[in-house]
Structure formats: C-alpha cells, structure tokens
Amino acid sequence: MKRTTLKDLARSLDLTEGTVSRALNGYADISPRTVDRVQQAAVKLGYKPNQNARLLATGGVAEAVAYVIPQNHSSLAEPFVAQLLRGLDDSLSRRGWDLLVSHSRSAEDEAEKISRLITSGRVSGVLLTRPFRNDARIKLLQEAKFPFVVHGRSAHCENYAWYDIDNELAIKTATLHLIEQGHSRIGFIGAPLYYNFAYQRLEGYKLALQESGIDYDETIVEITEMRDDAGESAAANQLDSDHPPTAFVCVSDTQALGVLAAVRTRGLTAGADVSVIGYDGLKIGRHANPPLTSMAQPQVQSGRELGDMLLAIIDGDDPTKHQVLKRAELLLRNTVGPVVKDRNYH
Amino acid sequence: MKRTTLKDLARSLDLTEGTVSRALNGYADISPRTVDRVQQAAVKLGYKPNQNARLLATGGVAEAVAYVIPQNHSSLAEPFVAQLLRGLDDSLSRRGWDLLVSHSRSAEDEAEKISRLITSGRVSGVLLTRPFRNDARIKLLQEAKFPFVVHGRSAHCENYAWYDIDNELAIKTATLHLIEQGHSRIGFIGAPLYYNFAYQRLEGYKLALQESGIDYDETIVEITEMRDDAGESAAANQLDSDHPPTAFVCVSDTQALGVLAAVRTRGLTAGADVSVIGYDGLKIGRHANPPLTSMAQPQVQSGRELGDMLLAIIDGDDPTKHQVLKRAELLLRNTVGPVVKDRNYH
DNA sequence: ATTGCGTCCGAAAGCGGTTTCGGGATAGCA
DNA sequence: TGCTATCCCGAAACCGCTTTCGGACGCAAT
C-alpha cells in the first residue's frame, strides 16, 4: 500500500512525469484538457506530492519556525504562553508557515535542542524567550548564523533582533504609583537575577526609589522562583517581620497571586491594609481576591509582531533593524490603595 | 554562500559521496582513520545534511505530529492548552519527534488546515480536541486513513482512538455533591451542545437530578460560551430571578469564575449563600474569590498519554485499541457549602 | 608464485519530484 | 500545397543523500 507517486500517475495517464508535474503546478504550456485529466486522476488515485522530494528539487526551505518554551516555566504563567502562541500562529499562517514548539527541562537540554533544530533543517527560524543576562543560546544561534529573534533581550543585545517591554520603566512606573499613594516601605518580589528581565525590573524598582529619595533596603527585596507558592512564602516572610512593607511590587502576576494569599491568610485585605501590584496583566487577575492591579502587556500582539520579525529576518532582513521596545500599561484594579500609617496587625 | 553539501565534502577529502556518507553514518566498512578525517572536515566546513534529501533517500516519514487548537478557545481556559502541550512534548521528545501547533479561526478554516496537514507530509499524525457531537474533522481524518487521536470523543466514537474524561460521571458527581449539601435548586451553566462534552455534561446533570428525584427545570439551565463574562451574565440572570438557584454547577472553571463574580457583585458570598462548582481544576482556581471547588483532570498527564497513543497508532497499532476513559476528581475548595433555606437577598 | 580472504572504498542506481530544452504535430497564412 | 508560428508534450538533467554491489588491494596461508 504505497503512496501513489508522480510516476504512477503519469503511467496511468500515459503521460510523462514531467508533464504531469507541470499540469499540476499550473504551467501554461499544458492544454486545459490535459490539466483536467491529470487533476481528475490525481484525486482519484489520492496523489499527494512527496514534500521531501519537492523541497529537494526546488531547493526550498522548511516553512516553519520553532518556539522554544523556557524550562522551568511556571505553570501559572502559562496563559502567557498560549497567548503568544496564538499571536505567532496568526503571523505565520498568513504565509502558510507552521509553528513548532519545543520544551526543555534544563539549560543544557535546551542548548542541545536548539542545535538539533538548526541542523535538522526542519525549521528556518527560532524564537527564544526569557533570555538570561548572558545567554548561551543566543551565542549559539549567532555563531550558527541562524535566523532568530528573542522575546526579551540579554545584557548585550546590539547584534540581534529582539522584542521587549521596557522592564525598567514598567516597574518604575508601578513603584512610583505606589509611592504616589503614600507608600514608602515597598517590598519587592523579584525573580532570579540571571534573567535579564528580572535584573532590569529590580533596576526599575531602585530607580523609582532613588528618584523619590527613598533608601533602598535590601531586607525587603525577595528573590524567588516565579511561582505562586514562592511569592506567598516570600510575602509571608515580610509581613511577619517587625517592620513589614505596606506595599509590594512583584515581577509577575503569578507571584503576586501568592502575595495576595499571604495577605489574606493574615486577615489583611489587599488594596486597603497592604497594596500589591503584579506584572503581566493576566486576565485571570480580574478574578483574584481582590482583583489584581498589574502592569499589562498584550501578548497576542507580541506574538504577532515577533512572528513578523522572524519572517522578515528569514527573508534576509538585517536583524539589528528589528529591535523593538514597547511599554507596559498600568492596569488598575483593586489591590492598590493609599497607605495606612497606623497599621498594626501583630 | 551555499550550504556545503556532501559532494563538497567528498571533493575536499578526495573521496566519493558514498564513502563520506557511510563514514558519517557509522557504517562498519570504513576505516577509523577515514572516519576521523571525514568528521574533522565536516565540522570545519560546517556541513549539515539536507534533511529533505535524506528523508527522500531513506523513505523516512516526518517525525512530527500536529496539535490543532480549537477555534474560539476561551482565553481563560488557556492554561489547559499549555499544560497539554507540555505533556505532549514530554511524550514526543522521548522519541525525538517534534510538535507542531496549528490554530484556526473557524470550522471551515480548521478543516482546510487539517487537509493541508495531512497532504503536506509535514506531520505523520494529528491530535484533535473538543470534538463536536458530529465532527467533520474526524470524518476527514478517517477517510484519509491518517493517524489521529482525539482528546474527547464525538457521539459515534467506536472507530477511532480517543482519550476522554467521563463527562457524564464527572458532572453527575459534582451535582450529587451539591445535592448532598441539601441543594435542590441547582442551576446549570453549560456550553453549546454541539460540543459532545457539553452534551454529556448536561446529561450527567440530568442524571443526578433524576436519581435524586428532583425535577429537571430548564429555566435554570443556561447554555453559554465558555468565557468568564458569559458565565457571569448567565449567573446574573439566574440570581436576579424570582426563584434563584442556591447552587450552580458549571462545565468550565472559566465560566465558574464569572459566576463567582456575579455572586460577589450581589453582595453574596459563594460557599455560604450560594454554592458554585467548576470544571477543569485549573490551578488558578486556588486564587479565586473564594477558591473555586472544581472537577479536576490532570492535563499534563493527559498530554503525555495522548502523545503515546498517537505514536503507537502511527506505528501501526489498531486505533480502536486505544480508547481510554478517565474520571475526574472532585477538587474541594471553598465555593460549596450547605444550603441556606431562608436566603433572601432581594 | 598462486590462491584465498578480509578490509576499505568507488561506482552507480535510486528516492520523487521540478524545470529547461527541443522537437513533432497542428494550425494559420500565403 | 508549402512554409512558418504556435501549442503541447517528451526527454533528460538535476536536487543531495543513501545503500547495494563489486572490485582493488594487502596480507597470510598453501
């Protein structure tokens, strides 16, 4: 039960392979009558061109790109992924390209997967996310001269294409918002600093404090994994201390959700006793308790733009022409309120 | 700046293509010395085998499967997708296969995408989700004799592979749980009934009522889209009626979240004044207000099993041997409580 | 000096398409 | 009827790699 090939088709029609091929591909030098016969026969015999042969002959490239999903990606942040995916697909499918996703469980695993991807010839471009400050994957791709774009950027991002949110500005905005509400003791729930975005967000926090003449106090900055439980225990830590913060700025909604939990279990209410602001603008934040104020970035749109960028680069564009920096918007919900000075809940 | 081919390599080494090929592929009839030279040269010249040519020559198939993501998929239910994706990738990457995702915006679009997938030769299997009771996509795949498995099942599911949760049982369990708490006027927030799972879940609801001697009252069943806002307005409808339900069972967490919102805005509290139970066991339900009781199904695991099934079928297994029915677990959180008879909140 | 037997590599035939080139048949025109 | 222009199609090379087959060569055994 072999697939029917061009040769089969040709034989059954008493034509040559070349003729059949041209008929199928709409060449002008085939009589309409023949084209017809060929098409009929093609569907009848269930002919499906062998893609490998076709691409080999035409010298075509794989019409697909890969999205490599970061390793220990918080399961709560996954809406993020799904949205991006959709945007990407939007962009790619406009050209009929395919999207291939690849997970990985460790950094080495990821490097290995990437080199497999670039040598396999299965994709002609790669999309990276959540780069480290100093990212080996980027170096890999650069050395291989393989088309790629990164969602986010590493510390040295001059020579490749990226699409990022101004993390510094975003967190600075968030922090200033808190400060405007009278808060001055603002806890920071961060992520591991080898992530460049985490580093930048911490910088933004520091900047806001500095501009406002507030001293940076490292005892109220917590660096945790981007999970809700991590955020929760970090916040618990802070809230149970002698001199707890009156507000928290978090680098992810996931962590912020955890912070809210910690706040609740202590009989406090966010937005009144304690203010909390997250990052990502996840839709589910609307259903949090209370609805979570956050810094939002439109993911679907990001995916779309990232796809377009990647496509352009594959087409030969200079990657350095594609470096876009967006800004996040403050998404006001209910977890931020003016400071209460006389709080005393111990 | 062409890629270096086998021929280039061979010429540079003064060997024939055949020899170089065998050297690279570890044939035993090549002297170690030569193997060495070839490998050296290969990395020096940056040789990457052309995958199309290789597959053509070996008659190999595409080592990839596609996951087609349902059309108007609720953005809030997306954690669902991400989890499944991860499980799938787990299964596939064990064999070095790739995962290709494909979205679609309409039913026709989807059919078109599927037939493109099966003729393109880019994948050798397809995973479908959320089938309709009568699903054209399944027919398409069946007629094409293309390997596939579906997550869920259609009304007639005897002849293909599927992996599903016992929807009827799950919702019956949920409903009975509510009944045990004394509720007898239980609203149902359903999804469009052309989805088979939606149909089955409604059946489960009816079954539970019937077993408990409660009359089915169609004025308290609402069929809505699987979005939070849809759930919210449906619940609002019910709550504002003359004779409102004391509890709701929903076919998705997404809708349940909306129901909770409706409950809150009316000054009621779920778990006390009104009971609510969702479906999906989304992790974020933990952060809902209050934390959402739900019927849970492990998505990552599902993805893994689905991947294994698909692989097995591609390997030639009889699809009908792969039909697995799991059961959902009742995930107790805080939105269910005993009925309060004297409620009066108008 | 034959014969025999491994070892290692060259030659060549595909795999299933695409595309260029050229010529036979037919039609148009004188 | 003869000549050229046009229309269709056949022939064949090629894309880059795999794999079978056989032969050259070197060495030990006879």
Side-chain angles (χ1 to χ4, degrees):
Chain A
M1 182 57 184
K2 277 180 62 245
R3 288 167 68 107
T4 76
T5 92
L6 239 199
K7 196 191 297 186
D8 301 332
L9 236 190
R11 196 163 29 214
S12 95
L13 286 165
D14 206 38
L15 290 174
T16 61
E17 306 176 40
T19 306
V20 175
S21 171
R22 276 168 301 164
L24 255 14
N25 293 319
Y27 275 61
D29 64 345
I30 304 289
S31 75
R33 213 179 70 79
T34 307
V35 170
D36 235 53
R37 285 178 58 217
V38 171
Q39 288 177 338
Q40 307 269 325
V43 315
K44 203 180 67 180
L45 273 66
Y47 169 69
K48 300 172 190 168
N50 177 316
Q51 215 57 213
N52 293 318
R54 163 181 290 224
L55 288 180
L56 174 56
T58 58
V61 296
E63 300 189 328
V65 307
Y67 173 47
V68 313
I69 297 184
Q71 48 246 46
N72 47 12
H73 201 83
S74 151
S75 59
L76 272 178
E78 280 167 345
F80 189 93
V81 173
Q83 304 246 50
L84 208 87
L85 237 38
R86 168 169 291 278
L88 258 178
D89 191 273
D90 259 16
S91 159
L92 295 179
S93 66
R94 216 192 314 276
R95 257 174 66 164
W97 281 44
D98 291 316
L99 175 59
L100 197 140
V101 316
S102 167
H103 290 251
S104 61
R105 43 206 87 268
S106 68
E108 308 82 56
D109 185 34
E110 184 153 350
E112 203 267 336
K113 284 215 174 185
I114 290 179
S115 55
R116 235 176 47 78
L117 279 175
I118 74 185
T119 62
S120 79
R122 278 210 261 262
V123 299
S124 26
V126 167
L127 169 59
L128 250 39
T129 50
R130 298 248 170 117
F132 300 137
R133 279 181 63 69
N134 178 325
D135 202 300
R137 302 169 300 172
I138 294 179
K139 236 165 269 151
L140 197 65
L141 261 348
Q142 280 184 140
E143 282 165 9
K145 296 192 191 318
F146 199 78
F148 73 100
V149 350
V150 1
H151 189 200
R153 55 206 148 125
S154 56
H156 296 294
C157 56
E158 305 81 25
N159 305 320
Y160 59 86
W162 49 263
Y163 177 101
D164 201 4
I165 303 293
D166 192 332
N167 289 292
E168 219 172 271
L169 178 59
I171 287 293
K172 181 175 156 192
T173 304
T175 309
L176 287 176
H177 178 61
L178 256 12
I179 293 175
E180 280 167 19
Q181 299 291 317
H183 297 276
S184 58
R185 188 157 181 77
I186 301 172
F188 181 81
I189 310 289
L193 298 180
Y194 45 76
Y195 285 123
N196 198 39
F197 78 86
Y199 179 85
Q200 294 176 319
R201 291 181 195 175
L202 179 54
E203 289 299 304
Y205 168 73
K206 289 181 180 171
L207 234 55
L209 294 186
Q210 183 178 324
E211 270 190 18
S212 311
I214 300 176
D215 284 340
Y216 174 72
D217 177 358
E218 69 173 15
T219 66
I220 56 174
V221 346
E222 300 258 359
I223 301 299
T224 80
E225 293 298 315
M226 297 182 67
R227 294 194 317 268
D228 55 346
D229 56 331
E232 180 166 2
S233 63
N237 238 3
Q238 292 294 329
L239 290 170
D240 295 340
S241 76
D242 291 333
H243 188 21
T246 62
F248 291 96
V249 26
C250 311
V251 300
S252 76
D253 278 0
T254 307
Q255 290 158 300
L257 253 20
V259 172
L260 292 184
V263 168
R264 280 195 307 272
T265 62
R266 279 163 186 70
L268 303 172
T269 92
D273 306 309
V274 179
S275 288
V276 179
I277 174 161
Y279 194 114
D280 281 338
L282 258 36
K283 296 201 180 172
I284 50 161
R286 179 166 109 70
H287 297 285
N289 180 12
L292 180 65
T293 294
S294 181
M295 296 303 299
Q297 33 180 321
Q299 295 301 341
V300 179
Q301 178 59 18
S302 301
R304 212 159 3 219
E305 294 195 33
L306 280 162
D308 291 344
M309 283 170 56
L310 186 46
L311 251 19
I313 291 169
I314 292 172
D315 287 344
D317 258 28
D318 178 2
T320 62
K321 285 208 174 304
H322 295 271
Q323 303 183 325
V324 351
L325 192 60
K326 297 272 181 172
R327 38 201 308 169
E329 301 290 334
L330 181 56
L331 177 57
L332 261 25
R333 286 198 285 234
N334 311 339
T335 51
V336 172
V339 67
V340 305
K341 286 293 183 195
D342 55 349
R343 190 167 112 250
N344 179 14
Y345 46 79
H346 285 302
Chain B
M1 182 59 184
K2 278 179 62 247
R3 288 168 68 107
T4 75
T5 92
L6 239 201
K7 195 191 299 186
D8 300 332
L9 238 190
R11 196 162 29 214
S12 96
L13 286 165
D14 206 37
L15 291 173
T16 61
E17 304 176 42
T19 305
V20 175
S21 171
R22 276 169 300 162
L24 254 15
N25 292 320
Y27 275 60
D29 64 345
I30 304 289
S31 75
R33 215 179 68 80
T34 308
V35 170
D36 235 54
R37 285 178 57 216
V38 171
Q39 288 178 337
Q40 306 269 325
V43 314
K44 203 180 65 173
L45 273 66
Y47 169 70
K48 298 172 191 165
N50 177 317
Q51 215 57 212
N52 292 318
R54 161 181 294 224
L55 288 180
L56 175 55
T58 58
V61 297
E63 300 190 327
V65 308
Y67 173 48
V68 313
I69 297 182
Q71 48 245 47
N72 47 11
H73 200 82
S74 149
S75 59
L76 272 179
E78 279 167 349
F80 189 93
V81 173
Q83 303 247 51
L84 208 88
L85 237 39
R86 168 169 292 277
L88 259 179
D89 191 274
D90 260 16
S91 160
L92 296 179
S93 66
R94 217 193 312 278
R95 255 171 72 161
W97 282 44
D98 291 316
L99 174 61
L100 196 140
V101 316
S102 168
H103 290 251
S104 63
R105 43 205 86 270
S106 69
E108 309 83 56
D109 184 33
E110 184 154 351
E112 202 266 336
K113 283 214 174 187
I114 290 179
S115 56
R116 234 176 45 81
L117 277 176
I118 75 185
T119 62
S120 79
R122 278 209 261 263
V123 298
S124 26
V126 167
L127 169 60
L128 248 40
T129 51
R130 299 248 170 115
F132 300 137
R133 280 182 63 70
N134 178 325
D135 201 300
R137 302 170 300 171
I138 294 179
K139 236 165 269 151
L140 197 64
L141 261 349
Q142 279 184 141
E143 282 166 10
K145 297 194 191 316
F146 199 78
F148 72 101
V149 349
V150 2
H151 189 199
R153 56 206 149 123
S154 57
H156 297 293
C157 55
E158 305 81 24
N159 304 320
Y160 59 86
W162 48 263
Y163 177 103
D164 200 4
I165 304 292
D166 191 333
N167 289 292
E168 218 172 271
L169 178 59
I171 287 292
K172 182 174 155 192
T173 303
T175 310
L176 287 177
H177 178 61
L178 255 12
I179 293 175
E180 281 167 19
Q181 301 291 315
H183 296 276
S184 58
R185 189 157 179 78
I186 302 172
F188 182 82
I189 310 290
L193 297 178
Y194 44 76
Y195 285 123
N196 198 39
F197 77 87
Y199 180 84
Q200 294 176 319
R201 291 181 194 175
L202 179 55
E203 289 300 304
Y205 167 74
K206 289 181 180 169
L207 234 54
L209 294 185
Q210 183 178 325
E211 270 190 20
S212 311
I214 301 175
D215 284 339
Y216 175 73
D217 177 358
E218 69 173 16
T219 66
I220 56 174
V221 345
E222 299 260 359
I223 301 298
T224 79
E225 294 297 316
M226 297 182 67
R227 292 194 319 267
D228 56 346
D229 56 331
E232 181 166 1
S233 63
N237 238 2
Q238 292 294 327
L239 290 171
D240 294 341
S241 77
D242 291 333
H243 188 20
T246 62
F248 291 96
V249 24
C250 311
V251 300
S252 75
D253 278 0
T254 307
Q255 289 159 301
L257 254 19
V259 172
L260 292 185
V263 169
R264 279 196 307 273
T265 61
R266 278 162 187 70
L268 304 171
T269 92
D273 306 309
V274 179
S275 288
V276 178
I277 174 161
Y279 194 113
D280 282 338
L282 259 36
K283 295 201 181 175
I284 50 161
R286 180 166 110 68
H287 297 285
N289 180 12
L292 179 65
T293 294
S294 181
M295 297 303 298
Q297 33 181 322
Q299 296 301 341
V300 179
Q301 178 60 17
S302 301
R304 215 163 355 225
E305 294 194 34
L306 281 161
D308 291 344
M309 284 171 54
L310 186 47
L311 251 19
I313 291 169
I314 292 173
D315 287 344
D317 258 28
D318 178 3
T320 62
K321 285 208 176 301
H322 295 271
Q323 302 183 327
V324 350
L325 191 60
K326 297 273 180 171
R327 40 200 308 167
E329 302 290 333
L330 181 56
L331 177 58
L332 260 26
R333 286 196 286 232
N334 311 338
T335 51
V336 172
V339 66
V340 305
K341 287 294 184 196
D342 56 349
R343 191 164 113 250
N344 178 12
Y345 47 79
H346 285 301

